[in-house]
Amino acid sequence: MPAEPTPALLPQAASWLHRRSWSAAERPVDALLAAKRRTRQTVSVVLPALDEEATVGDIVRTVRRELMDRIPLVDELVVVDSGSTDATAAVAAAAGARVEHRDRILPRLPAVPGKGEVLWRSLLVTHGDIVCFVDADLREFDPAFVSGIVGPLLTEPDIHLVKAMYDRPLETESGAVVPAGGGRVTELVARPLLNLHWPELAGFVQPLGGEYAARRSLLERLPFPTGYGVELGLLVDALDLVGLDALAQVDVGVRHHRHQDGQALGRMAATIYRTALERLDRTHRLKASADLVHPHLTQFTRTPAGGTPIFTAHTHPVTALERPPMHTVPEYSTHR
């Protein structure tokens, strides 16, 4: 039998993918600095950190050297320590960051564990018009992870939130590298959820990525899930609040970081699924009727195009065929 034709993204998602996806190289840092001076916007970079002494120092030093001392693009660099038992705070401070401790921010409200809790509290100890979040476990850190995603917010007044997109190789303990093996929770949980229930967001290459920047005026109006669901929650809620065209993504290259074991990924997946369910329930979208579920899944691969690697979308149908209970099938009684 011939293969079924591959369905396309929703028209609005396909249009968004073409218009709101950029490369960091499209906005050189000197052009961003000129835009920053012209618009008088300030930029805060926040690293949420829990036991990341091995990597946080290099990230802080790179941001300070390249984006604060050499070119004054970033005004404020803050590491929020969420209860580290190692030397994360000392290493970050020695590298040049201001370190804030989660439990000392809004002390009247006892802190709960979770990345989202730290990001939410960081709004109380930063002042930038643009807030850029960067995970503290990145290795071989490139300053484009900051300048790339801050760029559209400095140059495009109608953009409110920008996610980083990148290749995410899986680097195993044996030293083997699976080029596109990272982001397992994204591919197995988040992408299917977004494609089925929020198909407008199907064009995001890394919806769960921890590197994103947004206007403070947006972040201060969004609820923050306290755990691993924070990235999905913010993306879905931003869509509802400011619309798809106010969101964007920027290609910043390759993300190298520490990978978690299967059980940790399971806990992450469950939290993300719960975050999605809360939003489906809140907006009365739990019923899987035809107008609420888009039965397609769009995935991305890095492919060369005219010598320039780009992310290419591939869309597949998601079938939901169910057979009736066998005892309702007339032939079954004959079989028995």
Side-chain angles (χ1 to χ4, degrees):
M1 294 179 61
E4 294 183 4
T6 301
L9 285 164
L10 288 180
Q12 60 267 44
S15 173
W16 175 88
L17 184 61
H18 176 71
R19 294 179 296 101
R20 292 299 196 226
S21 299
W22 295 292
S23 165
E26 294 181 59
R27 293 179 175 84
V29 177
D30 55 351
L32 298 184
L33 184 59
K36 181 179 189 295
R37 288 169 173 164
R38 184 175 64 254
T39 60
R40 297 184 179 181
Q41 297 179 88
T42 54
V43 177
S44 297
V45 173
V46 173
L47 278 70
L50 176 63
D51 295 331
E52 301 293 357
E53 65 177 4
T55 51
V56 68
D58 286 341
I59 299 172
V60 169
R61 278 188 290 271
T62 299
V63 173
R64 176 160 287 282
R65 181 182 66 247
E66 300 297 328
L67 301 177
M68 298 181 79
D69 297 338
R70 189 174 70 84
I71 296 179
L73 188 70
V74 172
D75 301 281
E76 186 176 40
L77 176 56
V78 178
V79 170
V80 182
D81 185 358
S82 61
S84 298
T85 58
D86 66 2
T88 291
V91 169
R98 172 161 57 88
V99 177
E100 300 282 352
H101 295 272
R102 177 198 62 191
D103 297 346
R104 298 174 190 168
I105 304 171
L106 197 64
R108 69 167 182 81
L109 185 66
V112 299
K115 178 183 179 182
E117 176 85 351
V118 175
L119 299 183
W120 178 69
R121 288 176 186 257
S122 77
L123 297 180
L124 289 165
V125 293
T126 56
H127 305 90
D129 303 307
I130 296 168
V131 182
C132 176
F133 298 125
V134 177
D135 281 350
D137 65 342
L138 302 188
R139 294 182 287 103
E140 302 177 36
F141 181 75
D142 189 319
F145 272 73
V146 171
S147 59
I149 57 177
V150 165
L153 295 165
L154 291 171
T155 61
E156 310 287 336
D158 55 344
I159 297 293
H160 289 260
L161 184 147
V162 181
K163 297 280 293 188
M165 57 177 169
Y166 35 70
D167 292 313
R168 198 170 185 177
L170 175 62
E171 300 161 359
T172 67
E173 292 183 359
S174 66
V177 177
V178 182
R184 290 163 287 175
V185 175
T186 292
E187 298 302 331
L188 296 176
V189 180
R191 199 179 305 285
L193 282 171
L194 292 175
N195 275 256
L196 291 169
H197 296 289
W198 294 279
E200 305 98 317
L201 299 174
F204 275 95
V205 175
Q206 296 291 352
L208 295 187
E211 291 69 47
Y212 50 102
R215 300 193 189 282
R216 178 177 294 272
S217 58
L218 170 63
L219 293 172
E220 64 192 13
R221 292 184 290 159
L222 295 174
F224 277 62
T226 57
Y228 284 122
V230 62
E231 274 81 30
L232 183 137
L234 291 178
L235 192 58
V236 168
D237 292 344
L239 173 69
D240 288 341
L241 192 60
V242 296
L244 180 61
D245 227 37
L247 314 179
Q249 61 184 349
V250 173
D251 186 354
V252 297
V254 182
R255 186 184 199 266
H256 300 279
H257 67 111
R258 171 175 46 81
H259 296 279
Q260 301 195 53
D261 62 32
Q263 290 195 348
L265 294 180
R267 294 189 293 271
M268 184 184 301
T271 302
I272 290 164
Y273 182 56
R274 174 68 185 273
T275 300
L277 286 180
E278 293 286 346
R279 277 146 182 78
L280 290 169
D281 182 53
R282 182 188 307 161
T283 56
H284 309 291
R285 296 167 62 93
L286 274 174
K287 184 179 178 182
S289 58
D291 61 330
L292 295 182
V293 172
H294 182 66
H296 304 111
L297 176 66
T298 298
Q299 298 171 310
F300 294 87
T301 56
R302 176 84 77 171
T303 57
T308 302
I310 61 171
F311 285 103
T312 301
H314 307 275
T315 306
H316 313 274
V318 177
T319 60
L321 176 66
E322 292 187 11
R323 300 300 187 190
M326 186 56 75
H327 74 85
T328 67
V329 178
E331 291 83 353
Y332 183 63
S333 60
T334 303
H335 168 74
R336 294 183 65 191

